[in-house]
Amino acid sequence: MDFRSNALSSPARVSARFVALLAFAALVAQVMATAANHPEDSLFEVIWNRARYFTNLTALLTLLSFLGMSATGRGVHRLWIGGLALWEAMTGLIYHVLLAAPLAGIDFWASHGLHTALPIAVMLWWLCFGRKTPLRVGAAIAWLVWPTIYITYALLRGQADGKYPYFFLDPGEVRWDGVAVWSGIIGGAFFLGGLVLILVARLFRR
């Protein structure tokens, strides 16, 4: 992450602090919800459990990035902030299309904090303050690196302990050919999302 890219305006810095706070609150709520549902687990086991999911790891990247921006007053590189906007947006989209279920109490607030509020906040920050030029088609390819790293990590971890974070990455549910197909679909969705983000960047140039 390049914190020397560009200086942030006062509104950008203040709102970056808000996004960081939102990410932190959502992650803490998720840990609390998991601890309540698994009282036999230690805090380390709860956190290790949550570190299985793309949502939580991406929220952690968001937290660290926006905390860094609010602390230094410098924006991150356009590729990184664009990537965060895309990854958070896809997190929300995939959750609401494939994974959403009725929830109540702290589970509801934790889930919607991570899958609804945070993606919206990051996208709005990027639209208002993120550096967007120049972004070319190659950026959509570069933004596939993080999802690829995550899928590899999730599959390796699943092979080690037999637990997979999502049904579409679980060979026990969809078989390995299904995992390959789903991974291709998700990768294609991220790539198309990246192209849309680049188009939006050209409409909201800064």
Side-chain angles (χ1 to χ4, degrees):
M1 291 178 283
D2 180 6
F3 287 102
R4 300 169 299 173
S5 318
N6 57 306
L8 295 179
S9 65
S10 180
R13 190 172 183 178
V14 170
S15 55
R17 190 173 294 122
F18 168 78
V19 175
L21 181 61
L22 177 59
F24 177 76
L27 285 168
V28 169
Q30 187 68 272
V31 168
M32 291 174 62
T34 304
N37 292 326
H38 299 276
E40 73 282 0
D41 289 348
S42 67
L43 179 59
F44 173 81
E45 289 172 323
V46 168
I47 293 174
W48 181 237
N49 174 281
R50 300 323 302 176
R52 188 185 304 277
Y53 295 91
F54 183 83
T55 298
N56 297 290
L57 295 175
T58 302
L60 181 60
L61 293 178
T62 298
L63 169 61
L64 295 175
S65 299
F66 278 85
L67 191 62
M69 288 193 290
S70 66
T72 64
R74 298 281 178 176
V76 295
H77 193 279
R78 61 185 179 277
L79 276 177
W80 184 254
I81 192 62
L84 286 176
L86 173 65
W87 303 329
E88 285 289 358
M90 293 302 297
T91 293
L93 180 63
I94 291 172
Y95 172 79
H96 286 288
V97 170
L98 295 176
L99 304 170
L103 297 170
I106 193 170
D107 290 293
F108 174 88
W109 294 107
S111 185
H112 283 283
L114 288 169
H115 298 106
T116 307
L118 187 58
I120 290 173
V122 173
M123 182 59 70
L124 287 176
W125 195 95
W126 177 77
L127 286 172
C128 294
F129 306 114
R131 189 176 178 185
K132 304 175 188 67
T133 55
L135 284 177
R136 300 183 177 88
V137 174
I141 298 174
W143 290 332
L144 293 176
V145 172
W146 168 233
T148 301
I149 290 173
Y150 170 75
I151 288 175
T152 303
Y153 156 78
L155 292 177
L156 289 174
R157 183 169 167 176
Q159 283 289 286
D161 63 15
K163 298 177 182 178
Y164 295 87
Y166 307 108
F167 77 88
F168 47 79
L169 293 180
D170 186 349
E173 289 197 36
V174 299
R175 302 190 308 180
W176 281 107
D177 55 341
V179 170
V181 169
W182 272 107
S183 297
I185 292 172
I186 291 170
F190 271 88
F191 180 70
L192 290 176
L195 295 180
V196 171
L197 201 75
I198 292 168
L199 177 60
V200 172
R202 292 178 179 177
L203 298 175
F204 290 85
R205 292 196 174 188
R206 175 175 177 268

